[in-house]
Amino acid sequence: MLLSLHIENVALIKRLDIDFENGFSVLTGETGAGKSILIDSINLVCGARASRDIIRSGEDECFVSALFSSLGSSAVASLEELGVTVDQDDDTLLLSRRFCSDGRSVCKIGTRTVPVSLLKSVSAHLISMSNQHDSYTLLNSELHIDYLDRFANSVVDNFTQIKNEYLLSYEAYKKAKAELRDARIDDNERRNKLDFLRYQYKEIEAARIKAGEEKELLAERLVIRNSETVTKAIKGASALLMGSSKPGIYDRLIMTAENIEMISDVIPGGADVVSQLHNLSSQVEEINSILLKYLPKNIDDPTLILDKIEERLDTISKIKSKYGETEEEVLKYFDDIAQKISFFEQYEFSIKELEESAEKTKALCEENAFKLKAVRKECSSKLAGLINSEFEFLDMSGVLFDTEFEPLEELDERGGDIPEFFVKTNPGEPFKKLSSIASGGELSRIMLALMKILAGSDSIGTVVFDEIDTGVSGKTSSKIGISIKTLSRERQVVCVTHSAQVSAVAHHHYKIEKNEFDGRMLTTVKKLDFDERVSEISRILGGVTVTDHAIETARELILQGQNI
């Protein structure tokens, strides 16, 4: 649940802290008081795109943080998949975002700075936002599949697996189709490609490229260019180590070991000293062997050898400039060419193989598409049943909801069929596309029913409704309030509303006000007690003039709401 919200320099808000409680909370206030600012602040800390206009006039940046607590096990597991660990002892998670006038954002989860994309992904498992404009997204049938899949994911344990299996098979089918399409060429083009590939093959083959050869040649060139210095240094070092006209280090170590060995029975640890001296002599001998490996050999004409090295390096460089940055890349390209030559030399057989591959991947894709559609259809029936039950309660008796599936001409990432929502608004009439509905009130109630069902079936702990009750009033508003309060038994619900009936049934009531301080307008939020709730709801009921009747009605509404 959303435990608290801290806001600085957002529009008319200078600094504001709001503590939320579990259950159903409403936010009310006069038009222009700043209700939308609170929603914008929540959206901001949840990773939504931001405009510089959100920053309070005269300030360079704004800041919002949201503290969440009592995270469910499902949400914790989802967050861990995103790389976010929740402290089980503390059981809180702090999201914050600082947005600057130059467009920069600093997003944090706890004390860890994260990209805004991760902030958005994490918040999606903590809070669900729905506003009055979301109702009109129902008019876009392209989005219906997203709503249905969200519901399916919450009621079918392996829905994600079924969907991913389809997507994997679709990607394989799409790849096979693309390979077949690209491979289909006429005879002239095939001959031209084959001639060019053969030319490349022969050029690389003639170069006899070997992995690591260039590095070896460069090292050899360096030694030869400095052969006189290298020879002098290595021979001098070898003489010091192994001796020449006089004993070297090796000889002296051996002689030392022999001297100590004669008294090893007399002095304590003598045998260990002898062993260490022999080890040192062996190391000296090994070092000498390593140095002698680098001693230039048989360099009668260094210039001739260097010319050959330069010629070979030039050949390698030219081949790399055409076919790869490294010898390994050149060799891989060489193998690829060989495969392409084989493909074009056996063109008819190769095309047949690609056709068979495309058919095979298509068959698997169609099979997985059928499974996906079957799950979606089953879930669409469950969703329709739940929504139709909500319709009955929301004074929409006679209105029925259903989903129809339209076959696609070709499989795509959505599947083989696309779902679209339909409604029947009156008995005896046929089902019509939801997009044909013009009534804002009906759309609001359909969206409310859909959002309530989705929110009640997923693991999100907080649901925010922003004026979702727009376009309805009276008895229907009361029903909407009851419906939302029912949802709050399972989820924390925060609702921005202009409805007295919705406000009256809430557990907690916050009033948003705009007042002038030091010549500037400021938005504040206050949690109301019972008498203050009566005053606020009577204002909503009465409009400009608040009558005694409005006050009494407000009191009755609140008392009735407490018993729901």
Side-chain angles (χ1 to χ4, degrees):
M1 60 173 279
L2 177 61
L3 196 61
S4 63
L5 188 67
H6 174 76
I7 307 170
E8 295 179 19
N9 297 326
V10 176
L12 297 180
I13 296 175
K14 176 63 178 174
R15 185 183 182 93
L16 184 64
D17 288 285
I18 310 175
D19 293 327
F20 291 99
E21 297 182 53
N22 206 355
F24 179 20
S25 299
V26 290
L27 302 169
T28 63
E30 295 182 359
T31 301
K35 296 185 294 297
S36 62
I37 300 174
L38 290 178
I39 299 301
D40 289 343
S41 298
I42 296 174
N43 281 325
L44 183 71
V45 78
C46 288
R49 294 186 64 178
S51 166
R52 293 173 179 82
D53 295 338
I54 199 173
I55 301 174
R56 179 174 168 80
S57 176
E59 303 293 342
D60 296 325
E61 61 183 30
C62 63
F63 177 80
V64 181
S65 66
L67 182 64
F68 293 88
S69 69
S70 304
L71 308 183
S73 58
S74 179
V76 169
S78 298
L79 294 178
E80 287 180 348
E81 289 180 5
L82 293 170
V84 176
T85 302
V86 179
D87 188 341
Q88 294 300 306
D89 294 331
D90 185 41
D91 194 28
T92 61
L93 190 67
L94 180 67
L95 308 185
S96 65
R97 185 178 181 187
R98 190 177 301 278
F99 182 69
C100 305
S101 57
D102 60 6
R104 291 183 298 108
S105 272
V106 179
C107 305
K108 290 188 177 184
I109 298 176
T111 58
R112 170 188 166 196
T113 302
V114 299
V116 67
S117 57
L118 181 57
L119 189 72
K120 190 172 184 179
S121 297
V122 167
S123 65
H125 293 283
L126 303 174
I127 188 168
S128 172
M129 306 284 293
S130 299
N131 60 49
Q132 56 180 319
H133 304 296
D134 286 340
S135 301
Y136 293 94
T137 64
L138 290 174
L139 301 179
N140 183 355
S141 60
E142 294 291 322
L143 300 177
H144 293 176
I145 190 171
D146 297 329
Y147 290 119
L148 179 57
D149 281 3
R150 180 178 166 188
F151 176 73
N153 193 52
S154 66
V155 296
V156 179
D157 291 338
N158 63 337
F159 179 74
T160 299
Q161 179 184 343
I162 294 171
K163 189 174 180 179
N164 286 340
E165 285 177 356
Y166 170 75
L167 289 172
L168 287 173
S169 62
Y170 172 69
E171 287 300 320
Y173 171 50
K174 187 168 66 171
K175 181 181 178 182
K177 279 201 308 180
E179 289 177 347
L180 179 60
R181 182 187 63 245
D182 295 342
R184 292 189 185 279
I185 56 177
D186 58 38
D187 289 342
N188 286 334
E189 186 178 358
R190 181 174 66 86
R191 282 193 293 269
N192 290 336
K193 283 192 173 185
L194 193 53
D195 289 342
F196 182 63
L197 289 169
R198 283 170 174 164
Y199 165 77
Q200 290 183 317
Y201 184 88
K202 290 178 180 178
E203 185 176 31
I204 298 174
E205 185 181 42
R208 303 186 310 280
I209 297 295
K210 293 185 295 184
E213 183 183 9
E214 185 179 40
K215 183 178 180 180
E216 292 176 1
L217 289 170
L218 291 170
E220 186 179 355
R221 184 180 67 178
L222 182 63
V223 171
I224 293 174
R225 283 178 174 176
N226 298 276
S227 59
E228 185 176 343
T229 304
V230 171
T231 299
K232 183 178 179 180
I234 290 177
K235 286 185 176 180
S238 180
L240 290 170
L241 290 171
M242 305 304 295
S244 55
S245 58
K246 55 183 179 181
I249 295 174
Y250 176 82
D251 299 317
R252 293 176 182 274
L253 286 170
I254 294 297
M255 287 187 288
T256 303
E258 290 173 349
N259 282 319
I260 300 301
E261 191 171 12
M262 289 188 294
I263 60 171
S264 59
D265 294 335
V266 179
I267 64 173
D272 289 339
V273 173
V274 171
S275 177
Q276 291 178 41
L277 288 168
H278 282 303
N279 287 338
L280 288 172
S281 64
S282 296
Q283 291 178 33
V284 169
E285 191 174 24
E286 185 179 352
I287 292 170
N288 184 67
S289 298
I290 293 171
L291 290 175
L292 292 178
K293 288 179 182 179
Y294 296 104
L295 186 66
K297 298 180 179 64
N298 303 321
I299 305 179
D300 298 327
D301 189 350
T303 302
L304 179 61
I305 297 175
L306 284 173
D307 287 344
K308 288 182 179 180
I309 290 175
E310 294 294 346
E311 183 180 351
R312 183 59 182 160
L313 287 171
D314 183 60
T315 298
I316 294 172
S317 178
K318 287 179 179 178
I319 291 295
K320 284 170 58 181
S321 68
K322 290 184 177 182
Y323 304 115
E325 294 184 1
T326 65
E327 291 113 311
E328 288 80 7
E329 288 184 12
V330 171
L331 292 172
K332 183 180 183 305
Y333 188 79
F334 183 66
D335 290 338
D336 291 342
I337 290 174
Q339 292 178 19
K340 290 178 181 178
I341 290 173
S342 175
F343 179 89
F344 286 118
E345 285 178 342
Q346 306 174 69
Y347 185 68
E348 291 185 4
F349 176 76
S350 301
I351 288 295
K352 185 177 180 181
E353 280 191 326
L354 287 178
E355 288 173 341
E356 290 175 353
S357 175
E359 286 300 318
K360 185 177 180 180
T361 54
K362 181 181 181 181
L364 179 59
C365 191
E366 288 176 337
E367 181 182 339
N368 287 333
F370 181 80
K371 292 178 182 177
L372 182 60
K373 178 185 176 181
V375 175
R376 281 174 172 160
K377 288 198 76 170
E378 182 181 351
C379 291
S380 70
S381 297
K382 292 180 181 178
L383 180 62
L386 292 170
I387 288 179
N388 289 332
S389 295
E390 287 293 320
F391 284 172
E392 287 287 334
F393 183 75
L394 295 173
D395 290 335
M396 295 176 70
S397 57
V399 179
L400 292 176
F401 179 92
D402 199 6
T403 303
E404 294 187 10
F405 289 78
E406 181 70 25
L408 296 170
E409 291 184 6
E410 284 194 28
L411 295 165
D412 66 17
E413 64 277 357
R414 297 170 295 180
D417 303 80
I418 185 74
E420 184 171 0
F421 296 154
F422 279 66
V423 291
K424 180 194 290 189
T425 54
N426 292 294
E429 292 185 2
F431 277 94
K432 295 180 182 179
K433 293 183 177 182
L434 183 58
S435 56
S436 65
I437 290 182
S439 167
E442 285 183 325
L443 276 177
S444 293
R445 281 179 282 174
I446 293 172
M447 175 57 82
L448 174 61
L450 182 59
M451 288 296 99
K452 180 187 174 185
I453 291 165
L454 292 177
S457 58
D458 60 28
S459 61
I460 295 174
T462 300
V463 181
V464 177
F465 291 122
D466 180 18
E467 300 185 13
I468 194 70
D469 50 3
T470 296
V472 294
S473 58
K475 180 182 177 183
T476 303
S477 291
S478 297
K479 292 292 187 70
I480 289 175
I482 295 169
S483 181
I484 295 175
K485 189 168 186 178
T486 302
L487 174 62
S488 73
R489 293 169 184 165
E490 301 175 2
R491 304 283 186 273
Q492 179 193 42
V493 180
V494 178
C495 181
V496 175
T497 182
H498 288 289
S499 167
Q501 290 82 359
V502 172
S503 302
V505 299
H507 298 109
H508 318 288
H509 193 153
Y510 300 81
K511 183 179 181 181
I512 303 171
E513 293 183 295
K514 182 175 65 175
N515 296 292
E516 183 178 337
F517 292 93
D518 297 328
R520 296 196 64 179
M521 301 304 294
L522 286 177
T523 290
T524 58
V525 178
K526 180 184 180 183
K527 186 176 182 182
L528 305 182
D529 60 24
F530 182 85
D531 290 337
E532 291 168 331
R533 289 187 70 182
V534 171
S535 176
E536 173 64 4
I537 292 175
S538 62
R539 178 196 65 79
I540 298 173
L541 288 169
V544 177
T545 303
V546 177
T547 63
D548 291 340
H549 177 68
I551 294 173
E552 186 57 33
T553 301
R555 187 183 302 276
E556 290 178 3
L557 284 174
I558 296 172
L559 292 173
Q560 290 172 3
Q562 291 177 346
N563 297 321
I564 294 174

